[in-house]
Amino acid sequence: MKRLRLLLRNAYAAVTAGVLILLAAIWGLVWFATERARSDVLAATTAQLDQMAGAITVSLNRSLIETDNLLANLPNLVRNVAGASAGDRALVQILRDLNGSSLFVRDLLLLDADGRPFATALPTSRRRTVDFDWFGGEMGGLRFAGPIRNPSTQEWSLYIAREVEFSPARRGLAAAEIAVGTLASLFEMGGRTASAGSGVPEVRVESAEGRILAALPHDESRIGASAPSDERLAVQLSRHGSGVSLRTSSGGGEFLSAVRPSVYPHLLIGTSLDLDKTLRVWRSDRRSMAAGAAAFSVLVVFSGLLLLKWMASRTAAERERQHGRAMLENALESMSDGFVMFDKDDRLVVCNSRYRDMYQISAPFLVPGARFEEIMRQGALLGQYPQCGADIDGFVAEMMAWHRGNHTPMERLLPDGRWLLVTERRTPDGGTVGIRTDISALKAAEAKARRRAEEDPLTGLSNRGVLRTSLQALAGAAGARASLVLFDLDHFKAINDSYGHPVGDQLLCQVAERLRSVTRPGDTLARLGGDEYAVLIPNLVEPTQLAEFLGCMKDVIEKPVHAGDRTIRPSLSIGAARFPEDAGNPESLMQAADLALYEAKRQGRNRWAFFDKGSADALRRRSLLAEQLKVALSEDSIEIVLQPKLRLSDRQVVGFEALARWREDGVLVPPSEFIPLAEEQGIGLQLGLTLLRKALCAQRAMLDAGLEPGRMAVNFTTSQLLDGDLVATLATELLRAGLTTQRLEVEITETVLLDRSADVVNAALHAIAKLGIGIALDDFGTGYASLCHLAKLPVSQLKIDRSFVTELVEGGRGAAIARSMIALARGLGIETVAEGVETADQYEILANEGCDVVQGYLISRPLSVEMATAWLRQHQRQSQVSHLSISVLR
């Protein structure tokens, strides 16, 4: 194969070299011939131009000498009549006769010493005065003037003059007018006479100073103008002499030029031929020669190609055969898949190295001629096929049956962990072709995708889909028993809002790790979303054991979690339901566990609850009530009532407290039930904003009616205080109602201060106080708020709960606590308000103890906005009457 390629390469090189040499010779001859022809054309043109220049110069000199002789002999002819006047007929007739005898001269003039004509051959010339700018005339020679435009014919003319003596007493000039057009005709005839067929050259006559006197072809714009300094004939004559030279015009064209002096040194004659026009025929011939050479070159190249093709055709078959064999070998070795071929007797024909790499244990037996059955048996004995098992004969028989039929591909595991896709097909001659594809990456991707589909990406626990599958498997197993536990983190949203989502994610992952530590390998652990987790525990349904497990799980998970420089103490709300005791199918079991979780939250969170069929109905009612509450909010059917607050010192109304009221199907739903429900359902902000707007609207209406309602107290929930837009919302709503911030009072309960987001609440209360809005602490003393809250928070009013007020008359512990709270508030400069005042005795005791404001049924029940407005109008009218009576008595 190498020798064949070498011979073919040498033959190609020889033919190619021959073609290139022949082409070079052809184009070399063409170049030589065209250049030789160009040189001949230039030489012939130069000789012709030189001959033209000589002929034109001779013709011009002859005409000038004839004119000079005419002027020189003129005095002898006119001397006898020189004394006559300018109009003497004899003198004029002599001039006319002489003028008519010369084709070169247009007019003959006799000029006085001052240059005025006193006799002319043409009558029109006597009536004009010409200012002649003569040049030449040295040593009595000819003088020249012009070109000057003839006023009669408007033609350019040259004037030739000689100084003559008409009589002893009279001297002057004898002048001849020569038309410039006559000179051009003279040049053209001289050029044609010198060389017919060469074309009329460009001819120019200049003065020694460079003024153009005449030109061929005639150009009116150039006559009388000065030639460019580098194109003047005098300059060319000094540079190149009187021979022919090649020059370039100011426009960039090339010309052959010759300059000759006339017999009179002040006149120079220049002739030139355009080189481009001169070589036009030569260029046409050159193109013809090039076209012929190109055609011949194409013929040579085509012949060479035919020769190469003929040479190649002799070896094409052998080269193709050898190339095909090499390609097959290379293809087999470069395949990423393993390839193997067996003949019709199941003997190995060929296999590539990739196949040997896949079956490294069986590689020593993969030799041409080895039988398929023997290769499989030896590999199975040495552990080549992990799926073989102990029955080697059965495995070999199974593989032989699969090998001899066109079956679908199958997947096989190798000892090193790789997976192969095994595909085999029968050939037309009864043999077998097999392909082995490494699908390890695909299997790994499938496993990864399966994990992604089944795992929570954050915690690595199973997801809801896996839990659902486990529940379905549980329901389908006979006699199966299990417990489903659902739990979530209390106030997880507040943790996210306070510390950020990265800290929240870290907490979720820590909960997952702790959950793994308290569960068994067979349990299903899942994160359902957010902070909600699920545990499916097979065979654990006894209440005592389940409670023990929940306690252990709660203790482990609720240990402090350190996130950076922060320490978080999570708490859990847990609900548990049992299968099949509480529910007989997966959906019912999930619902039962969810109801138990809801019950744990309703009881105050941080606890667990088992599913109870009795409480399930209450939970369903609560769920229905939540839906009805959402509808009521959308329909704006939640109202407010107003209860006045009276200052004890002067019995004046200092404000109202706005209380929420909701009737569902005519039944009053207590605020203590639907307000926490709104918080749980995430509509607390919407409910709070609705109540705030209605309270401010009622206050605005009282003011517009000419009444003084004082401050409007509105209860705020935790969700409102955690809203980042709270301050902006308050400012917007007050502005919309046209009220100042001093008109509003925000009431909070002790439970708000105990929220996990106490820092956020604290910041919100300080921001509210800065606006000038009052802050009242309600139900103080009934919960677990410490006295430090009074010192840290900007509280302007302390409300004494009615449970303490009712004991004032009996004098129990409640009375002592109430008196202590009044004294404490007075010491801190905080106003006190007693709630639930219903008797005159309570009123008197509170007044004596120094309480500032009272609120209760003794003053007024909570009233609708219209009734509260009427009550306030009546109370203020009575107060005015009382003040008037006191003034009269005084």
Side-chain angles (χ1 to χ4, degrees):
M1 184 67 179
K2 292 182 178 179
R3 183 173 177 274
L4 179 62
R5 284 199 298 267
L6 181 61
L7 290 175
L8 191 58
R9 188 182 301 115
N10 292 338
Y12 282 171
V15 173
T16 304
V19 171
L20 293 177
I21 292 172
L22 187 56
L23 291 176
I26 293 170
W27 287 103
L29 288 173
V30 171
W31 176 85
F32 177 78
T34 54
E35 288 301 312
R36 180 64 177 271
R38 186 177 186 276
S39 299
D40 293 343
V41 171
L42 289 177
T45 304
T46 300
Q48 292 170 2
L49 182 63
D50 186 64
Q51 185 179 2
M52 289 179 190
I56 293 172
T57 302
V58 169
S59 178
L60 179 61
N61 285 339
R62 184 186 305 116
S63 298
L64 291 175
I65 291 172
E66 289 177 358
T67 304
D68 190 11
N69 291 334
L70 175 63
L71 295 176
N73 293 325
L74 187 60
N76 297 327
L77 297 175
V78 301
R79 185 172 288 123
N80 294 330
V81 294
S85 65
D88 187 86
R89 291 183 179 179
L91 182 57
V92 172
Q93 187 61 43
I94 291 172
L95 294 178
R96 286 181 179 176
D97 293 341
L98 292 174
N99 188 38
S101 64
S102 175
L103 296 176
F104 188 63
V105 177
R106 181 179 182 275
D107 193 8
L108 288 175
L109 301 90
L110 297 181
L111 307 175
D112 289 332
D114 58 358
R116 296 178 61 82
F118 64 86
T120 62
L122 299 177
T124 57
S125 300
R126 296 189 215 121
R127 293 188 296 272
R128 60 189 175 99
T129 302
V130 181
D131 293 331
F132 296 102
D133 184 13
W134 300 105
F135 59 90
E138 293 83 355
M139 311 245 348
L142 283 179
R143 296 183 183 184
F144 300 92
I148 299 172
R149 193 177 290 280
N150 188 301
S152 299
T153 64
Q154 296 300 312
E155 294 178 344
W156 291 102
S157 298
L158 295 177
Y159 292 88
I160 304 174
R162 175 177 286 277
E163 187 175 356
V164 296
E165 180 179 330
F166 298 110
S167 65
R170 188 174 189 179
R171 298 184 63 84
L173 294 175
E177 179 184 0
I178 301 171
V180 171
T182 303
L183 284 177
S185 300
L186 182 65
F187 298 157
E188 187 172 0
M189 288 188 295
R192 289 177 180 174
T193 302
S195 179
S198 299
V200 178
E202 180 182 346
V203 183
R204 193 167 77 235
V205 178
E206 290 183 9
S207 66
E209 292 78 14
R211 183 189 301 172
I212 300 174
L213 305 179
L216 180 71
H218 181 70
D219 187 352
E220 286 283 329
S221 63
R222 299 177 63 192
I223 301 301
S226 295
S229 58
D230 57 341
E231 295 185 9
R232 292 180 179 178
L233 298 181
V235 174
Q236 296 182 37
L237 183 62
S238 64
R239 291 178 180 175
H240 307 293
S242 59
V244 178
S245 62
L246 182 65
R247 66 179 181 86
T248 303
S249 68
S250 58
E254 291 186 322
F255 294 85
L256 289 173
S257 176
V259 180
R260 298 291 175 86
S262 70
V263 292
Y264 301 97
H266 287 282
L267 292 181
L268 299 175
I269 304 164
T271 58
S272 61
L273 283 172
D274 189 343
L275 190 61
D276 182 67
K277 295 179 180 179
T278 301
L279 296 176
R280 186 173 298 164
V281 176
W282 170 81
R283 288 194 181 94
S284 177
D285 294 340
R286 184 181 63 175
R287 285 194 293 270
S288 299
M289 293 179 66
F296 189 68
S297 299
V298 170
L299 180 60
V300 170
V301 171
F302 183 71
S303 300
L305 292 175
L306 288 178
L307 180 59
L308 290 176
K309 185 176 181 181
W310 175 78
M311 293 171 60
S313 63
R314 298 183 59 187
T315 56
E318 179 64 21
R319 184 180 62 180
E320 184 176 353
R321 185 181 64 82
Q322 294 184 8
H323 181 65
R325 182 184 301 168
M327 284 185 61
L328 178 60
E329 293 175 355
N330 291 334
L332 291 178
E333 291 303 318
S334 62
M335 287 177 62
S336 59
D337 295 337
F339 176 85
V340 65
M341 178 182 287
F342 293 90
D343 62 16
K344 62 180 181 179
D345 297 324
D346 286 337
R347 296 183 180 275
L348 179 65
V349 177
V350 66
C351 66
N352 62 1
S353 57
R354 181 64 173 157
Y355 187 89
R356 295 175 183 274
D357 176 68
M358 292 176 174
Y359 295 100
Q360 295 179 7
I361 297 176
S362 299
F365 311 108
L366 296 174
V367 295
R371 297 182 64 84
F372 176 80
E373 181 179 1
E374 190 63 23
I375 294 172
M376 292 297 299
R377 188 178 302 279
Q378 294 296 331
L381 290 173
L382 296 176
Q384 177 67 74
Y385 311 105
Q387 64 276 7
C388 174
D391 187 6
I392 295 178
D393 290 337
F395 172 75
V396 173
E398 178 185 352
M399 291 305 301
M400 285 293 295
W402 184 87
H403 171 72
R404 289 172 176 170
N406 284 325
H407 298 288
T408 58
M410 64 178 176
E411 297 177 355
R412 287 300 186 190
L413 179 65
L414 294 178
D416 58 4
R418 289 182 295 173
W419 281 90
L420 298 182
L421 181 65
V422 180
T423 305
E424 291 191 355
R425 288 291 181 268
R426 303 293 289 183
T427 61
D429 62 354
T432 304
V433 173
I435 298 294
R436 304 294 187 268
T437 304
D438 190 340
I439 59 171
S440 302
L442 179 62
K443 298 292 284 187
E446 289 178 353
K448 185 176 181 180
R450 190 180 304 110
R451 288 194 300 273
R452 286 182 177 178
E454 297 177 351
E455 287 184 2
D456 172 56
L458 177 63
T459 62
L461 298 179
S462 299
N463 57 19
R464 186 182 294 271
V466 175
L467 177 64
R468 186 182 300 110
T469 301
S470 299
L471 290 173
Q472 291 172 348
L474 175 70
R481 303 181 69 192
S483 294
L484 177 62
V485 177
L486 300 181
F487 71 89
D488 59 20
L489 302 176
D490 296 335
H491 310 291
F492 179 72
K493 183 179 183 300
I495 295 174
N496 259 344
D497 294 340
S498 301
Y499 303 122
H501 290 282
V503 173
D505 290 347
Q506 185 177 349
L507 175 60
L508 294 175
C509 293
Q510 189 65 43
V511 169
E513 287 299 320
R514 294 177 178 180
L515 183 60
R516 289 189 183 96
S517 67
V518 297
T519 52
R520 303 169 302 183
D523 299 340
T524 300
L525 316 180
R527 178 179 174 230
L528 305 183
D531 61 323
E532 187 176 1
Y533 296 82
V535 185
L536 180 62
I537 314 169
N539 302 317
L540 183 64
V541 293
E542 294 300 327
T544 304
Q545 295 178 351
L546 183 57
E548 182 180 352
F549 168 77
L550 296 179
C552 176
M553 181 184 74
K554 194 170 186 299
D555 291 342
V556 171
I557 294 179
E558 289 184 346
K559 292 179 180 179
V561 175
H562 302 286
D565 57 349
R566 299 179 177 88
T567 299
I568 302 173
R569 293 175 174 81
S571 65
L572 307 182
S573 295
I574 307 171
R578 298 172 299 163
F579 178 86
E581 286 82 352
D582 298 329
N585 58 69
E587 291 75 14
S588 300
L589 184 61
M590 281 288 293
Q591 185 177 12
D594 194 51
L595 289 172
L597 173 61
Y598 192 86
E599 178 63 20
K601 293 179 180 180
R602 192 188 67 80
Q603 293 178 9
R605 301 178 184 271
N606 194 21
R607 66 193 69 232
W608 71 75
F610 292 157
F611 174 77
D612 178 67
K613 286 183 171 63
S615 62
D617 294 336
L619 291 176
R620 292 188 183 93
R621 177 188 174 279
R622 189 174 179 83
S623 177
L624 176 62
L625 191 64
E627 295 301 320
Q628 293 170 338
L629 177 59
K630 293 176 183 178
V631 174
L633 270 176
S634 65
E635 295 177 351
D636 196 25
S637 59
I638 298 179
E639 301 294 340
I640 61 169
V641 293
L642 303 178
Q643 188 173 32
K645 295 189 290 185
L646 203 68
R647 188 165 49 226
L648 287 169
S649 60
D650 57 2
R651 293 186 58 83
Q652 294 299 313
V653 175
V654 296
F656 287 85
E657 180 180 0
L659 303 171
R661 291 294 184 267
W662 174 37
R663 292 183 180 275
E664 180 61 31
D665 294 332
V667 179
L668 183 65
V669 182
S672 58
E673 183 176 356
F674 74 81
I675 290 179
L677 183 61
E679 289 287 285
E680 294 174 6
Q681 296 296 318
I683 56 176
L685 282 176
Q686 184 181 355
L687 176 61
L689 181 60
T690 299
L691 299 177
L692 174 65
R693 286 176 177 173
K694 292 191 175 187
L696 295 180
C697 182
Q699 190 179 27
R700 178 72 265 172
M702 291 179 178
L703 288 170
D704 292 342
L707 304 175
E708 177 49 58
R711 281 193 172 192
M712 182 66 68
V714 181
N715 292 277
F716 273 61
T717 62
T718 303
S719 63
Q720 288 178 276
L721 295 174
L722 293 178
D723 181 21
D725 297 328
L726 174 61
V727 174
T729 300
L730 291 174
T732 301
E733 296 303 324
L734 285 168
L735 182 63
R736 178 182 297 174
L739 300 171
T740 64
T741 55
Q742 287 74 22
R743 289 285 183 181
L744 179 63
E745 188 171 73
V746 172
E747 282 197 15
I748 60 173
T749 62
E750 279 189 340
T751 56
V752 172
L753 304 179
L754 298 177
D755 190 87
R756 291 175 180 270
S757 302
D759 293 341
V760 180
V761 172
N762 191 357
L765 293 176
H766 278 86
I768 293 171
K770 285 183 179 179
L771 292 179
I773 298 173
I775 297 176
L777 182 58
D778 198 5
D779 299 338
F780 185 76
T782 61
Y784 300 95
S786 62
L787 295 177
C788 68
H789 288 113
L790 293 178
K792 292 181 180 179
L793 297 176
V795 176
S796 58
Q797 194 176 83
L798 187 64
K799 301 191 75 171
I800 303 172
D801 189 71
R802 64 177 298 166
S803 60
F804 302 127
V805 173
T806 54
E807 296 184 16
L808 284 174
V809 178
E810 289 81 3
R813 284 188 172 185
I817 292 174
R819 292 186 179 93
S820 300
M821 290 171 63
I822 294 171
L824 175 63
R826 186 185 301 114
L828 295 175
I830 299 175
E831 186 180 54
T832 52
V833 178
E835 290 184 303
V837 178
E838 298 179 354
T839 65
D841 293 338
Q842 293 172 349
Y843 183 93
E844 291 298 328
I845 294 173
L846 289 169
N848 294 332
E849 293 295 334
C851 183
D852 299 303
V853 179
V854 293
Q855 173 185 351
Y857 282 8
L858 180 64
I859 310 302
S860 173
R861 290 177 175 272
L863 305 171
S864 66
V865 174
E866 293 77 10
M867 294 179 65
T869 303
W871 182 92
L872 179 61
R873 182 179 290 108
Q874 179 67 24
H875 179 81
Q876 290 185 354
R877 185 181 298 117
Q878 291 176 355
S879 297
Q880 291 173 358
V881 171
S882 298
H883 283 298
L884 181 61
S885 300
I886 293 173
S887 299
V888 170
L889 291 174
R890 288 178 178 175

